[in-house]
Amino acid sequence: MLILSERVCIINERLYKGEKHHEYVLMHKNIPVTELEIDSITGYILKVNNTENPKHLPMGIGFTKNTVDRAALNEWWRDRSIPASRSGINKALDILELPSTQALLTKCYGLSLSDQYWLKPKGSDISWEDINFFDNPFSEDIGDVLIGKVKHSGVFDFNSPDNTSDGCLKKRWKIINSKRCLVKGGSNPFMQQPFNEVIASKLMDRLNIQHIEYSLIWDDNLPYSVCEDFIDRDTELVSAWRIMQSFKKDNNTSVYQHYINCCESLGIKNITDDIDKMIVVDFLIANEDRHQNNFGLIRNAETLEWIGTAPIFDSGSSFGYDKLAAQISNEKLLSCKPFKKSHKEQLKLVKSFDWIDFDNLNGFSEEIREILSNSSDYADENRTNAIVRTFEKRFEYLQALAINHSQNNIIDDLNEDVEEDIAEDYTNSINMC
């Protein structure tokens, strides 16, 4: 009798030897959702057949007249792959001898550490318990390639959650002390994102905001942030983007109000309280990349019960991460997401600042300096001073705003809605305006 690893190898060998397309069952943990036919080269979903459990389709995928919206499903599947803008991805694809990042998806059954969807080769007897990455070990080969540790082609074990990791910065999953942890780098020339993640984490500690804890490590003289996966074998993250695609938005409803309406329709209570906190944090750290795929809700993958708001994560593109020191405090150079074009406009959406204990932020400037002192190769004293001044200026503005604020001051101007709500592209890594 073949052991699991041998069966997996045999199935993979069968799948990737010259055949143009393959048949799968899209699974949601142990629940069969629908049958798919996928092109083996492009990763494109060619056909969708026999949808058994339409309620378990990914959020935002239409199902009418017993037919799945194949274009929307392809978009979801494409978004599951590593973006083409990922730092170093072209070199990684050359080393792996693959035509595109989508070709990586089926090599790990489409498994992720963010949700419970996967592809079961039609006719196989492999189960989710056998192969999921929450309970089973995974290869570090793909992570090594993506992070730049492997420089030449070779024989690789593709059984890795790194095949389905999103975002444009170099990153990898590792098992550290039996915990699934995401290790993420920064962008040239300042490599500031890992330090910013730690600063944002410490800030939210002081404000008693639910968030993911980040720490800092060094590898080959490069800084990386590390955080533990906040999804487990029973839960999954559903992004704000996916949630908003599930409900129709009319032209008279703002992006902000649409998201609030969607969450309330799903039974999420006190959603405005959580959004208030996210907006305030993003203002204080001058976050430029809170796009609609790095915040959202958590649900039970089997029962589809909504658990609540995801803790705040992914706050690294902050404090002028890509700008010269003299530009860091320039409001005109800052972009804003996910609701309004500027942070000050976004602050106008906050219903209450009563939850903020401003005394808890006393001395935080020195904590910022202490964290940045570990980045002397990238952030000199002039840059550190600019980051600290930016925080202090924003802190003072927030204090003054909170004193004079009332719920009657809320302004949700549709003309100030974001026009493009996508992730940052780090290929142009420094702003030379």
Side-chain angles (χ1 to χ4, degrees):
M1 183 177 178
L2 294 175
I3 62 173
L4 173 64
S5 60
E6 292 173 328
R7 286 194 287 125
V8 170
C9 288
I10 289 172
I11 290 173
N12 278 333
E13 184 178 359
R14 223 181 311 164
L15 289 177
Y16 306 111
K17 269 196 170 180
E19 296 182 29
K20 292 183 179 179
H21 54 83
H22 307 286
E23 294 181 344
Y24 299 91
V25 179
L26 176 64
M27 304 288 293
H28 198 199
K29 204 169 180 180
N30 289 306
I31 299 168
V33 182
T34 192
E35 294 179 4
L36 306 175
E37 194 170 307
I38 298 180
D39 185 287
S40 60
I41 302 300
T42 64
Y44 187 76
I45 299 172
L46 301 171
K47 293 182 181 179
V48 183
N49 302 308
N50 303 324
T51 302
E52 189 172 341
N53 287 290
K55 289 184 179 180
H56 282 266
L57 283 165
M59 286 287 291
I61 307 301
F63 182 74
T64 57
K65 298 180 180 180
N66 293 319
T67 302
V68 174
D69 184 340
R70 183 164 63 90
L73 192 60
N74 262 304
E75 181 188 357
W76 170 81
W77 184 240
R78 183 174 61 250
D79 287 346
R80 201 170 183 78
S81 63
I82 299 170
S85 54
R86 170 77 64 85
S87 176
I89 192 60
N90 290 331
K91 176 64 175 176
L93 288 174
D94 287 343
I95 293 171
L96 296 171
E97 298 180 342
L98 291 174
S100 68
T101 58
Q102 277 186 266
L104 279 167
L105 291 174
T106 53
K107 290 181 176 289
C108 67
Y109 305 99
L111 285 162
S112 169
L113 280 169
S114 297
D115 64 28
Q116 313 302 341
Y117 286 102
W118 63 288
L119 293 180
K120 182 176 183 177
K122 196 172 180 180
S124 79
D125 60 352
I126 289 179
S127 70
W128 180 86
E129 284 77 12
D130 291 333
I131 60 173
N132 79 83
F133 294 133
F134 296 94
D135 301 321
N136 298 292
F138 49 81
S139 168
E140 295 193 358
D141 287 1
I142 306 305
D144 285 342
V145 172
L146 293 175
I147 217 78
K149 286 183 173 292
V150 178
K151 306 298 182 184
H152 305 286
S153 298
V155 178
F156 300 106
D157 182 348
F158 287 90
N159 187 47
S160 167
D162 293 312
N163 297 4
T164 56
S165 62
D166 63 0
C168 296
L169 291 172
K170 287 185 177 181
K171 62 179 67 174
R172 69 178 308 169
W173 286 100
K174 286 185 71 72
I175 299 175
I176 303 174
N177 297 325
S178 300
K179 296 178 179 179
R180 274 63 183 162
C181 296
L182 185 64
V183 180
K184 185 166 63 173
S187 60
N188 288 321
F190 304 117
M191 293 293 174
Q192 194 173 309
Q193 289 93 334
F195 303 97
N196 289 343
E197 293 285 15
V198 177
I199 292 170
S201 180
K202 299 295 185 183
L203 175 69
M204 287 183 277
D205 280 342
R206 290 188 177 221
L207 291 175
N208 296 314
I209 294 174
Q210 185 186 22
H211 68 285
I212 298 306
E213 295 284 347
Y214 285 82
S215 58
L216 187 73
I217 64 169
W218 291 82
D219 189 20
D220 288 341
N221 295 317
L222 292 173
Y224 294 88
S225 65
V226 182
C227 68
E228 185 180 346
D229 191 4
F230 58 90
I231 297 301
D232 60 32
R233 69 192 313 275
D234 298 314
T235 62
E236 60 190 2
L237 172 67
V238 183
S239 71
W241 169 255
R242 284 275 130 219
I243 291 163
M244 287 190 280
Q245 297 309 297
S246 302
F247 298 87
K248 187 175 181 179
K249 174 185 172 298
D250 63 56
N251 293 332
N252 296 319
T253 302
S254 68
V255 176
Y256 167 79
Q257 192 58 51
H258 180 56
Y259 183 61
I260 298 299
N261 293 345
C262 292
C263 292
E264 290 179 348
S265 296
L266 296 173
I268 303 298
K269 298 179 180 179
N270 302 320
I271 184 63
T272 56
D273 294 347
D274 292 330
I275 298 301
D276 282 357
K277 293 173 183 177
M278 184 179 77
I279 289 173
V280 166
V281 168
D282 286 344
F283 172 77
L284 286 172
I285 65 176
N287 190 353
E288 298 188 63
D289 199 29
R290 183 69 66 201
H291 58 85
Q292 294 168 5
N293 278 315
N294 65 9
F295 70 101
L297 305 177
I298 296 176
R299 72 175 179 180
N300 184 291
E302 292 186 83
T303 67
L304 304 183
E305 175 188 2
W306 292 98
I307 296 169
T309 305
I312 295 177
F313 64 98
D314 199 0
S315 304
S317 297
S318 308
F319 289 123
Y321 70 96
D322 64 343
K323 297 170 180 62
L324 299 173
Q327 300 172 320
I328 288 176
S329 62
N330 190 336
E331 293 280 345
K332 294 181 180 179
L333 298 179
L334 293 180
S335 61
C336 180
K337 302 166 189 171
F339 303 120
K340 301 299 178 184
K341 297 175 185 177
S342 75
H343 285 284
K344 288 184 178 179
E345 282 296 324
Q346 204 156 256
L347 275 179
K348 294 177 182 178
L349 299 172
V350 174
K351 290 181 168 52
S352 174
F353 296 99
D354 294 344
W355 53 273
I356 303 176
D357 186 342
F358 287 99
D359 289 341
N360 284 345
L361 293 180
N362 290 338
F364 190 67
S365 294
E366 293 310 309
E367 190 162 3
I368 294 176
R369 289 186 186 279
E370 183 179 351
I371 293 167
L372 292 176
S373 68
N374 295 310
S375 67
S376 56
D377 289 343
Y378 301 101
D380 58 17
E381 185 177 359
N382 188 36
R383 186 172 188 81
T384 297
N385 287 338
I387 291 170
V388 169
R389 283 197 302 270
T390 295
F391 170 76
E392 291 175 343
K393 181 179 178 181
R394 287 174 167 256
F395 178 55
E396 291 171 2
Y397 180 90
L398 185 66
Q399 281 184 302
L401 183 65
I403 291 172
N404 299 309
H405 182 269
S406 74
Q407 289 201 6
N408 296 326
N409 290 342
I410 296 169
I411 299 174
D412 188 1
D413 185 353
L414 269 70
N415 294 322
E416 293 297 327
D417 269 15
V418 290
E419 295 170 355
E420 192 173 40
D421 217 333
I422 58 176
E424 286 289 284
D425 183 344
Y426 301 101
T427 52
N428 297 318
S429 56
I430 184 167
N431 189 328
M432 296 301 291
C433 298

